[in-house]
Amino acid sequence: MIRAAFISLGLTGALAGCVNAQPEAEPFRPAYQGIETQLLDGDLVNFQVAMTGARTGEDVADYAECAAAQYTLIRGYGFARHLRTNIEQQGSLWRGDAIYTISPALPRGVMTIDAEVVVAHCAENGIPTV
């Protein structure tokens, strides 16, 4: 009986080591390939971004948001509203095509950003802006 307990404990300990062994995720090493900005009409702006090393489309969308936030500040405004972002991947290259409206006051809608807050977040995370 005692011998069976020791064997059981030994197997449990060996299996516990296997449970904790998880493959290491690759480090996030984005390479930001540039931003193109086009004023479409008054306060409507298009941002084209490209990058490699993105983990998901969310990384590309974040890059476009950083561009929109800095552009908003450059134009003397404080807020932007996200309208849409289209993302495509070709091999290791990711592209984002985003449209935002910019405004001096907080616009209506749920997809709004405070440009100063977003630019600060981008700087903290090493995401370039315009």
Side-chain angles (χ1 to χ4, degrees):
M1 185 92 166
I2 294 175
R3 185 177 181 151
F6 283 124
I7 292 172
S8 176
L9 285 173
L11 289 174
T12 302
L15 290 176
C18 293
V19 171
N20 292 332
Q22 295 179 2
E24 297 244 349
E26 289 190 35
F28 180 46
R29 293 193 182 113
Y32 299 99
Q33 305 294 320
I35 302 165
E36 292 181 26
T37 304
Q38 181 181 11
L39 183 60
L40 299 175
D41 183 38
D43 64 351
L44 192 63
V45 188
N46 177 245
F47 300 93
Q48 302 276 328
V49 298
M51 68 183 291
T52 58
R55 297 168 291 200
T56 66
E58 189 65 31
D59 292 329
V60 183
D62 288 346
Y63 185 26
E65 182 176 75
C66 290
Q70 183 65 55
Y71 182 85
T72 299
L73 294 176
I74 289 169
R75 295 293 305 258
Y77 296 126
F79 301 93
R81 183 168 58 101
H82 177 254
L83 298 178
R84 68 136 175 92
T85 300
N86 294 325
I87 297 170
E88 72 175 42
Q89 181 184 11
Q90 298 170 333
S92 64
L93 181 66
W94 292 74
R95 294 185 185 276
D97 175 11
I99 296 183
Y100 284 80
T101 59
I102 58 174
S103 65
L106 185 63
R108 293 185 349 184
V110 295
M111 302 293 289
T112 59
I113 62 172
D114 181 323
E116 286 185 8
V117 172
V118 171
V119 167
H121 175 76
C122 297
E124 289 172 7
N125 290 291
I127 303 172
T129 59
V130 176

